[in-house]
Each structure stands twice: as structure tokens, then as C-alpha cells.
Amino acid sequence: QLQLVESGGGLVQPGGSLRLSCAVSGLTLDYYAIGWFRQAPGKEREGVSCISISSSSIGSAYYADSVKGRFTISRDSAKNTVYLQMNSLKPEDTAVYFCGVRAATYGSDWYCRPYEYEYWGQGTQVTVSP
């Protein structure tokens, strides 16, 4: 059974950094997209950064405009873990951050849209405040 476990959230001052981790287990998909999403109070869940992974390659990453140049998604295949390095954090980055996975199809586009993702972790809280 596929499991996603996020960690690394916390309280940080504006301008600070955090690194989120998503430990993946039970994944049997040959080609999939995995990404980070966030949901602030009273707002819809939004895609932050996603990347496609197959048995032979890693695709280009997607970043939401609001995080481009500040956040970086990466993967450690040996640890089955995907990271989100978040720098220059702003108060508007405050949210619960979720890791999500969806199956992808060769030759078809994939997107970082929450409603297209089938598997989710429990989330980790990120609070950016003085």
C-alpha cells in the first residue's frame, strides 16, 4: 500500500528556510508525478511544485509562480524521499503542506493540480511569522 509521510514543517521567521521531506513507501507505479501542495486556512489546496519520475528518468519540475526562485524540489532515490527546499520564506507561505502522488501516462501531459492526485500524506504545518 502506498504511503506518504511528510516531515520538516515548523515555525520560521520571514526570510528563513525549511526543508520538507516526503518519505514514500509501497510505490509500484512505473511512471508517476509527485509533488508538494499547500492549503492555507479558508483557501483551496494549491500545487506548489511537482515533478515526474519514471524508471529511467526524472522530468522537468513545475513551480507555482509564487515560489519560483525560492523553492526547489528534489529527490533522493536511495532513500525514496522527495524534498522541498524552501528559502526566503514569506508569511504568505504559511499553510499545511502535503505530498501527493498520481499515476502518469507516457505521451500524455501531467499537471500539478491537486484534484488529479490520488495519494496523499497527512501534511505538515509550515508557519512563517516574526
Side-chain angles (χ1 to χ4, degrees), residues 12-129:
V12 64
Q13 292 185 342
S17 298
L18 283 174
R19 189 178 77 160
L20 305 183
S21 300
C22 173
V24 183
S25 61
L27 182 61
T28 60
L29 297 172
D30 179 59
Y31 180 38
Y32 60 95
I34 185 167
W36 289 96
F37 303 79
R38 67 187 181 187
Q39 188 164 17
K43 294 188 177 181
E44 293 186 353
R45 191 172 298 189
E46 62 174 349
V48 175
S49 180
C50 296
I51 195 165
S52 63
I53 297 175
S54 72
S55 57
S56 58
S57 65
I58 298 177
S60 299
Y62 160 89
Y63 294 97
D65 288 343
S66 58
V67 306
K68 281 181 181 176
R70 300 190 297 123
F71 291 11
T72 303
I73 191 170
S74 63
R75 173 203 181 208
D76 185 330
S77 58
K79 296 182 178 180
N80 290 325
T81 300
V82 173
Y83 302 98
L84 185 68
Q85 178 67 43
M86 306 187 296
N87 299 328
S88 302
L89 282 161
K90 304 176 181 180
E92 51 263 44
D93 295 318
T94 295
V96 179
Y97 283 70
F98 298 89
C99 180
V101 168
R102 59 155 290 177
T105 303
Y106 291 103
S108 297
D109 293 332
W110 60 271
Y111 301 95
C112 199
R113 299 169 180 165
Y115 61 84
E116 296 181 354
Y117 285 69
E118 305 158 87
Y119 307 97
W120 295 95
Q122 81 288 349
T124 185
Q125 176 71 46
V126 172
T127 303
V128 185
S129 179

